[in-house]
Amino acid sequence: MAFNSDTYHANKSARAAYEQIARAKDIKRRAAIGEAYAWEIERISTLVQYARWDMHRSLFYRSLKVSP
């Protein structure tokens, strides 16, 4: 089977999105118990925005069709 770079980039972008969401959730959890720094709390919205961009990029790569 030939290498499909679209699938590779789709999977890579999805993994990046899930990692950023996990980081944001960790910061939010630590903020709830008072262990997060103020600069980390401000980063939550940025991490979520980057995750959304990565997931949109993943969906874009998945929508590309391979011509036979």
Side-chain angles (χ1 to χ4, degrees):
M1 178 180 239
F3 176 74
N4 186 347
S5 67
D6 294 334
T7 302
Y8 168 78
H9 289 293
N11 292 336
K12 183 178 177 182
S13 295
R15 277 192 307 272
Y18 293 133
E19 288 173 6
Q20 290 165 353
I21 290 294
R23 276 189 233 139
K25 284 183 175 181
D26 179 54
I27 294 170
K28 190 173 180 179
R29 179 191 57 82
R30 289 188 291 120
I33 59 176
E35 292 182 358
Y37 295 107
W39 62 269
E40 286 182 308
I41 296 169
E42 295 172 0
R43 253 181 85 193
I44 292 173
S45 62
T46 304
L47 287 169
V48 171
Q49 184 178 18
Y50 287 159
R52 288 175 60 97
W53 287 343
D54 280 334
M55 192 51 73
H56 284 291
R57 187 176 308 117
S58 174
L59 294 174
F60 167 74
Y61 279 117
R62 290 197 190 285
S63 71
L64 296 178
K65 301 288 186 207
V66 178
S67 30

Coordinates of all heavy atoms in Angstrom, one line a residue:
M1 N 0.8 -1.2 0.0 CA 0.0 0.0 0.0 C 0.9 1.2 0.0 O 1.9 1.3 0.7 CB -0.9 0.0 1.2 CG -1.8 1.2 1.3 SD -2.8 1.1 2.8 CE -4.4 1.1 2.0
A2 N 0.5 2.2 -0.8 CA 1.3 3.4 -1.0 C 1.1 4.3 0.3 O 0.1 4.3 0.9 CB 0.9 4.2 -2.2
F3 N 2.1 5.2 0.5 CA 2.0 6.1 1.6 C 1.1 7.2 1.2 O 1.1 7.8 0.1 CB 3.4 6.7 1.9 CG 3.4 7.8 2.9 CD1 3.3 7.4 4.2 CD2 3.6 9.1 2.6 CE1 3.3 8.4 5.2 CE2 3.6 10.1 3.5 CZ 3.5 9.7 4.9
N4 N 0.1 7.5 2.1 CA -0.8 8.6 1.9 C -0.5 9.7 2.8 O -0.8 9.6 4.0 CB -2.3 8.0 2.1 CG -3.3 9.1 1.7 OD1 -3.0 10.2 1.5 ND2 -4.5 8.6 1.7
S5 N 0.1 10.8 2.3 CA 0.5 11.9 3.2 C -0.7 12.6 3.7 O -0.6 13.2 4.8 CB 1.4 12.9 2.4 OG 0.7 13.5 1.4
D6 N -1.9 12.6 3.1 CA -3.1 13.3 3.6 C -3.5 12.6 4.9 O -3.9 13.3 5.9 CB -4.2 13.3 2.6 CG -3.9 14.1 1.3 OD1 -3.1 15.0 1.5 OD2 -4.4 13.8 0.3
T7 N -3.5 11.3 4.9 CA -3.9 10.6 6.1 C -2.9 10.8 7.2 O -3.3 11.0 8.4 CB -4.0 9.1 5.8 OG1 -4.9 8.9 4.8 CG2 -4.4 8.3 7.0
Y8 N -1.6 10.8 6.9 CA -0.6 11.1 7.8 C -0.8 12.5 8.5 O -0.8 12.6 9.7 CB 0.8 11.1 7.2 CG 1.9 11.6 8.0 CD1 2.5 10.9 9.1 CD2 2.4 12.9 7.8 CE1 3.5 11.4 9.8 CE2 3.4 13.4 8.6 CZ 3.9 12.7 9.6 OH 4.9 13.2 10.4
H9 N -1.0 13.5 7.7 CA -1.2 14.8 8.2 C -2.5 15.0 9.0 O -2.6 15.7 10.0 CB -1.1 15.9 7.1 CG 0.2 16.1 6.6 ND1 1.3 16.6 7.4 CD2 0.8 15.8 5.4 CE1 2.4 16.6 6.7 NE2 2.1 16.1 5.5
A10 N -3.6 14.2 8.6 CA -4.8 14.2 9.3 C -4.7 13.6 10.7 O -5.1 14.2 11.7 CB -5.9 13.5 8.5
N11 N -4.0 12.5 10.8 CA -3.7 11.9 12.1 C -2.8 12.7 13.0 O -3.1 12.8 14.2 CB -3.1 10.5 11.9 CG -4.1 9.5 11.2 OD1 -5.3 9.7 11.3 ND2 -3.6 8.5 10.6
K12 N -1.8 13.3 12.4 CA -0.9 14.1 13.1 C -1.6 15.4 13.7 O -1.4 15.7 14.9 CB 0.3 14.6 12.2 CG 1.3 15.4 12.9 CD 2.4 15.7 11.9 CE 3.5 16.6 12.6 NZ 4.5 17.0 11.6
S13 N -2.5 16.0 12.9 CA -3.2 17.2 13.4 C -4.2 16.8 14.5 O -4.4 17.5 15.4 CB -4.0 17.8 12.2 OG -3.0 18.3 11.3
A14 N -4.9 15.6 14.3 CA -5.8 15.2 15.3 C -5.1 14.9 16.6 O -5.6 15.3 17.7 CB -6.6 13.9 14.8
R15 N -3.9 14.2 16.6 CA -3.2 14.0 17.8 C -2.8 15.3 18.5 O -2.8 15.4 19.7 CB -1.9 13.1 17.5 CG -2.2 11.6 17.4 CD -0.9 10.8 17.4 NE 0.1 11.3 16.4 CZ 0.1 10.8 15.1 NH1 -0.8 9.9 14.7 NH2 0.9 11.3 14.2
A16 N -2.3 16.2 17.7 CA -1.9 17.5 18.3 C -3.1 18.2 19.0 O -3.0 18.8 20.0 CB -1.4 18.4 17.2
A17 N -4.3 18.1 18.3 CA -5.5 18.7 18.9 C -5.8 18.0 20.3 O -6.1 18.7 21.2 CB -6.7 18.6 17.9
Y18 N -5.8 16.7 20.3 CA -6.1 16.0 21.5 C -5.1 16.3 22.6 O -5.5 16.4 23.8 CB -6.2 14.5 21.3 CG -7.4 14.1 20.4 CD1 -7.2 13.2 19.4 CD2 -8.7 14.6 20.7 CE1 -8.3 12.9 18.6 CE2 -9.7 14.3 19.9 CZ -9.6 13.4 18.9 OH -10.6 13.0 18.1
E19 N -3.8 16.5 22.3 CA -2.8 16.8 23.3 C -3.0 18.2 23.8 O -2.9 18.4 25.0 CB -1.4 16.7 22.6 CG -1.0 15.3 22.4 CD 0.4 15.3 21.6 OE1 1.0 16.3 21.4 OE2 0.8 14.2 21.2
Q20 N -3.4 19.2 23.0 CA -3.7 20.5 23.5 C -4.9 20.6 24.4 O -4.9 21.3 25.4 CB -3.8 21.5 22.3 CG -2.5 21.7 21.6 CD -2.6 22.3 20.2 OE1 -3.7 22.5 19.7 NE2 -1.5 22.7 19.6
I21 N -5.9 19.8 24.0 CA -7.1 19.7 24.9 C -6.7 19.1 26.2 O -7.2 19.6 27.3 CB -8.2 18.9 24.2 CG1 -8.8 19.7 23.0 CG2 -9.3 18.6 25.2 CD1 -9.5 21.0 23.4
A22 N -5.9 18.1 26.2 CA -5.5 17.5 27.5 C -4.7 18.5 28.3 O -4.9 18.5 29.5 CB -4.6 16.2 27.2
R23 N -3.8 19.3 27.7 CA -3.1 20.3 28.4 C -4.0 21.3 29.0 O -3.9 21.7 30.2 CB -2.1 21.0 27.5 CG -0.8 20.3 27.4 CD 0.2 21.1 26.7 NE 0.7 20.3 25.6 CZ 1.0 20.8 24.4 NH1 0.8 22.0 24.1 NH2 1.4 20.0 23.4
A24 N -5.0 21.8 28.3 CA -6.0 22.8 28.7 C -6.8 22.2 29.9 O -7.0 22.9 30.9 CB -6.9 23.2 27.6
K25 N -7.2 20.9 29.8 CA -7.9 20.3 30.9 C -7.1 20.2 32.2 O -7.6 20.4 33.3 CB -8.4 18.9 30.5 CG -9.6 18.9 29.6 CD -10.1 17.5 29.2 CE -11.3 17.5 28.4 NZ -11.8 16.2 28.1
D26 N -5.8 19.9 32.0 CA -4.9 19.7 33.1 C -4.8 21.1 33.8 O -4.8 21.2 35.1 CB -3.5 19.2 32.7 CG -2.6 19.1 33.9 OD1 -3.0 18.4 34.9 OD2 -1.5 19.7 33.8
I27 N -4.6 22.1 33.1 CA -4.5 23.5 33.7 C -5.8 23.9 34.4 O -5.7 24.4 35.5 CB -4.1 24.5 32.6 CG1 -2.7 24.3 32.0 CG2 -4.2 25.9 33.1 CD1 -2.3 25.1 30.8
K28 N -6.9 23.6 33.7 CA -8.2 23.9 34.3 C -8.4 23.1 35.7 O -8.9 23.7 36.6 CB -9.3 23.5 33.4 CG -10.6 24.0 33.8 CD -11.7 23.8 32.7 CE -13.0 24.4 33.1 NZ -14.0 24.2 32.1
R29 N -7.9 21.9 35.7 CA -8.0 21.0 36.9 C -7.2 21.6 38.0 O -7.6 21.8 39.1 CB -7.6 19.6 36.6 CG -7.7 18.7 37.8 CD -7.0 17.3 37.5 NE -5.6 17.5 37.1 CZ -4.6 17.6 38.0 NH1 -4.8 17.7 39.3 NH2 -3.4 17.7 37.5
R30 N -5.9 22.0 37.6 CA -5.0 22.6 38.6 C -5.5 23.9 39.1 O -5.3 24.3 40.3 CB -3.6 22.6 38.1 CG -3.0 21.2 38.0 CD -1.5 21.3 37.6 NE -1.3 21.7 36.3 CZ -0.6 22.8 35.9 NH1 0.0 23.5 36.8 NH2 -0.4 23.1 34.7
A31 N -6.1 24.7 38.2 CA -6.7 26.0 38.6 C -7.8 25.9 39.6 O -8.0 26.7 40.5 CB -7.1 26.8 37.4
A32 N -8.6 24.8 39.4 CA -9.7 24.6 40.3 C -9.3 24.3 41.8 O -9.9 24.7 42.7 CB -10.6 23.5 39.8
I33 N -8.1 23.7 41.9 CA -7.6 23.4 43.2 C -6.5 24.4 43.7 O -6.0 24.3 44.8 CB -7.0 21.9 43.3 CG1 -5.9 21.7 42.3 CG2 -8.1 20.9 43.1 CD1 -5.3 20.3 42.4
G34 N -6.3 25.4 42.9 CA -5.4 26.5 43.2 C -3.9 26.2 43.0 O -3.1 26.9 43.6
E35 N -3.6 25.3 42.2 CA -2.2 25.0 41.9 C -1.6 25.6 40.6 O -0.4 25.4 40.4 CB -1.9 23.5 41.9 CG -2.1 22.9 43.3 CD -1.9 21.4 43.3 OE1 -1.6 20.8 42.2 OE2 -2.0 20.7 44.3
A36 N -2.4 26.2 39.8 CA -2.0 26.7 38.5 C -1.5 28.1 38.6 O -2.0 28.9 39.4 CB -3.1 26.6 37.5
Y37 N -0.5 28.5 37.8 CA -0.1 29.9 37.8 C -1.0 30.7 37.0 O -1.8 30.2 36.2 CB 1.3 29.9 37.1 CG 2.4 29.2 37.9 CD1 2.9 28.0 37.4 CD2 2.9 29.8 39.1 CE1 3.9 27.4 38.2 CE2 3.9 29.1 39.8 CZ 4.4 27.9 39.3 OH 5.4 27.3 40.1
A38 N -1.0 32.0 37.2 CA -1.9 32.9 36.5 C -1.7 32.9 35.0 O -2.7 32.9 34.2 CB -1.8 34.3 37.1
W39 N -0.4 32.8 34.6 CA -0.1 32.9 33.2 C -0.6 31.6 32.5 O -0.9 31.6 31.3 CB 1.3 33.1 32.9 CG 2.2 32.0 33.5 CD1 2.8 32.0 34.7 CD2 2.7 30.8 32.8 NE1 3.6 30.9 34.8 CE2 3.5 30.1 33.7 CE3 2.4 30.3 31.6 CZ2 4.1 28.9 33.4 CZ3 3.0 29.0 31.2 CH2 3.8 28.4 32.1
E40 N -0.7 30.5 33.2 CA -1.2 29.2 32.7 C -2.7 29.3 32.4 O -3.2 28.8 31.4 CB -0.9 28.0 33.6 CG 0.5 27.6 33.6 CD 0.7 26.4 34.5 OE1 0.3 26.5 35.7 OE2 1.2 25.4 34.1
I41 N -3.4 29.9 33.4 CA -4.9 30.0 33.3 C -5.2 30.9 32.0 O -6.2 30.5 31.3 CB -5.5 30.6 34.6 CG1 -5.2 29.7 35.7 CG2 -6.9 30.9 34.4 CD1 -5.5 30.3 37.1
E42 N -4.5 31.9 31.8 CA -4.7 32.7 30.6 C -4.5 31.9 29.3 O -5.0 32.3 28.2 CB -3.8 34.0 30.6 CG -4.2 34.9 31.7 CD -3.2 36.0 31.9 OE1 -2.2 36.1 31.1 OE2 -3.3 36.8 32.8
R43 N -3.7 30.9 29.3 CA -3.3 30.1 28.2 C -4.4 29.1 27.8 O -4.4 28.6 26.6 CB -2.1 29.3 28.5 CG -0.9 29.7 27.8 CD 0.3 28.9 28.1 NE 0.3 27.7 27.2 CZ 1.1 26.6 27.4 NH1 1.8 26.5 28.4 NH2 1.0 25.7 26.6
I44 N -5.4 28.9 28.6 CA -6.4 27.9 28.3 C -7.1 28.2 27.0 O -7.3 27.3 26.2 CB -7.4 27.7 29.5 CG1 -6.7 27.1 30.7 CG2 -8.6 26.8 29.1 CD1 -7.5 27.1 32.0
S45 N -7.6 29.4 26.9 CA -8.3 29.8 25.7 C -7.5 29.6 24.4 O -8.0 29.2 23.4 CB -8.9 31.2 25.8 OG -7.9 32.1 25.9
T46 N -6.2 30.0 24.5 CA -5.3 29.8 23.4 C -5.1 28.4 23.0 O -5.1 28.0 21.8 CB -3.9 30.5 23.7 OG1 -4.1 31.8 24.1 CG2 -3.0 30.4 22.5
L47 N -4.9 27.5 24.0 CA -4.8 26.1 23.7 C -6.0 25.5 23.1 O -5.9 24.7 22.1 CB -4.5 25.3 25.0 CG -3.1 25.5 25.6 CD1 -3.0 24.9 27.0 CD2 -2.1 24.9 24.7
V48 N -7.2 25.9 23.5 CA -8.4 25.4 22.9 C -8.5 25.9 21.5 O -9.0 25.2 20.6 CB -9.6 25.8 23.8 CG1 -10.9 25.5 23.0 CG2 -9.6 25.1 25.1
Q49 N -8.2 27.2 21.2 CA -8.2 27.7 19.9 C -7.3 26.9 18.9 O -7.7 26.6 17.8 CB -7.9 29.2 19.9 CG -8.0 29.9 18.5 CD -7.6 31.3 18.6 OE1 -7.0 31.8 19.6 NE2 -8.0 32.1 17.6
Y50 N -6.1 26.7 19.4 CA -5.1 25.9 18.6 C -5.7 24.5 18.3 O -5.5 23.9 17.3 CB -3.8 25.8 19.3 CG -3.0 27.1 19.2 CD1 -1.9 27.3 20.1 CD2 -3.2 28.1 18.3 CE1 -1.2 28.5 20.1 CE2 -2.5 29.3 18.3 CZ -1.5 29.5 19.2 OH -0.8 30.6 19.1
A51 N -6.3 23.9 19.3 CA -6.9 22.6 19.2 C -8.0 22.6 18.1 O -8.1 21.7 17.3 CB -7.4 22.1 20.5
R52 N -8.8 23.6 18.1 CA -9.8 23.7 17.1 C -9.2 23.9 15.7 O -9.7 23.2 14.8 CB -10.7 24.9 17.4 CG -11.6 24.7 18.6 CD -12.4 26.0 18.9 NE -13.3 26.4 17.8 CZ -14.6 26.1 17.7 NH1 -15.2 25.4 18.6 NH2 -15.2 26.5 16.6
W53 N -8.2 24.7 15.6 CA -7.5 24.8 14.3 C -6.9 23.5 13.8 O -7.1 23.1 12.6 CB -6.4 25.9 14.4 CG -6.9 27.3 14.5 CD1 -8.1 27.7 14.2 CD2 -6.1 28.4 14.9 NE1 -8.2 29.1 14.4 CE2 -7.0 29.5 14.8 CE3 -4.8 28.5 15.3 CZ2 -6.5 30.8 15.2 CZ3 -4.4 29.8 15.6 CH2 -5.2 30.9 15.6
D54 N -6.3 22.8 14.7 CA -5.7 21.5 14.4 C -6.8 20.5 14.0 O -6.6 19.7 13.0 CB -4.9 20.9 15.5 CG -3.5 21.5 15.6 OD1 -3.0 22.0 14.5 OD2 -2.9 21.6 16.7
M55 N -7.9 20.5 14.7 CA -9.0 19.5 14.3 C -9.6 19.9 13.0 O -9.9 19.0 12.2 CB -10.0 19.5 15.4 CG -11.0 18.3 15.2 SD -10.2 16.7 15.0 CE -9.6 16.4 16.6
H56 N -9.8 21.2 12.7 CA -10.3 21.6 11.4 C -9.3 21.2 10.3 O -9.7 20.8 9.2 CB -10.5 23.1 11.3 CG -11.7 23.6 12.0 ND1 -13.0 23.3 11.6 CD2 -11.9 24.3 13.2 CE1 -13.9 23.8 12.4 NE2 -13.2 24.4 13.4
R57 N -8.0 21.3 10.6 CA -7.0 20.9 9.6 C -7.1 19.4 9.4 O -7.0 18.9 8.2 CB -5.6 21.3 10.1 CG -4.5 21.0 9.1 CD -3.1 21.5 9.5 NE -3.1 22.9 10.0 CZ -2.9 23.2 11.3 NH1 -2.5 22.3 12.2 NH2 -2.9 24.5 11.6
S58 N -7.3 18.6 10.5 CA -7.4 17.2 10.4 C -8.6 16.8 9.5 O -8.5 16.0 8.6 CB -7.6 16.6 11.7 OG -7.8 15.2 11.6
L59 N -9.7 17.5 9.7 CA -10.9 17.2 8.9 C -10.7 17.6 7.5 O -11.3 16.9 6.6 CB -12.1 17.9 9.5 CG -12.6 17.4 10.9 CD1 -13.7 18.3 11.5 CD2 -13.0 16.0 10.9
F60 N -10.0 18.7 7.2 CA -9.7 19.0 5.9 C -8.9 18.0 5.1 O -9.3 17.6 4.0 CB -8.9 20.4 5.8 CG -8.3 20.7 4.5 CD1 -9.2 21.1 3.4 CD2 -7.0 20.5 4.3 CE1 -8.6 21.4 2.2 CE2 -6.5 20.8 3.0 CZ -7.3 21.2 2.0
Y61 N -7.9 17.5 5.8 CA -7.0 16.4 5.2 C -7.8 15.1 5.0 O -7.6 14.4 4.0 CB -5.8 16.1 6.0 CG -4.7 17.1 5.8 CD1 -4.2 17.9 6.8 CD2 -4.1 17.2 4.5 CE1 -3.2 18.8 6.6 CE2 -3.1 18.1 4.3 CZ -2.6 18.9 5.3 OH -1.6 19.8 5.1
R62 N -8.7 14.8 5.9 CA -9.6 13.6 5.7 C -10.6 13.8 4.5 O -11.0 12.8 4.0 CB -10.3 13.3 7.0 CG -9.4 12.9 8.1 CD -10.2 12.2 9.2 NE -9.3 11.9 10.3 CZ -8.4 11.0 10.4 NH1 -8.2 10.2 9.4 NH2 -7.6 10.8 11.5
S63 N -10.9 15.0 4.2 CA -11.9 15.3 3.2 C -11.3 15.2 1.8 O -12.0 15.0 0.8 CB -12.6 16.6 3.3 OG -11.6 17.7 3.0
L64 N -10.0 15.2 1.7 CA -9.3 15.1 0.4 C -9.4 13.7 -0.2 O -9.2 12.7 0.5 CB -7.8 15.5 0.5 CG -7.5 16.9 0.9 CD1 -6.0 17.1 1.1 CD2 -8.1 17.9 0.0
K65 N -9.7 13.6 -1.4 CA -9.9 12.3 -2.1 C -8.6 12.0 -2.8 O -8.0 12.8 -3.5 CB -11.0 12.3 -3.1 CG -12.3 12.7 -2.4 CD -12.8 11.6 -1.6 CE -14.2 11.9 -1.1 NZ -14.6 11.3 0.1
V66 N -8.2 10.7 -2.8 CA -7.1 10.3 -3.6 C -7.6 9.8 -4.9 O -8.4 8.9 -5.0 CB -6.4 9.1 -2.8 CG1 -5.2 8.6 -3.6 CG2 -5.9 9.6 -1.4
S67 N -7.0 10.4 -6.0 CA -7.4 9.9 -7.3 C -6.7 8.7 -7.7 O -5.5 8.5 -7.4 CB -7.2 11.0 -8.3 OG -6.2 11.8 -8.0
P68 N -7.4 7.8 -8.3 CA -6.8 6.4 -8.6 C -5.8 6.5 -9.7 O -5.6 7.3 -10.5 CB -8.0 5.6 -9.1 CG -9.1 6.5 -9.3 CD -8.8 7.8 -8.7

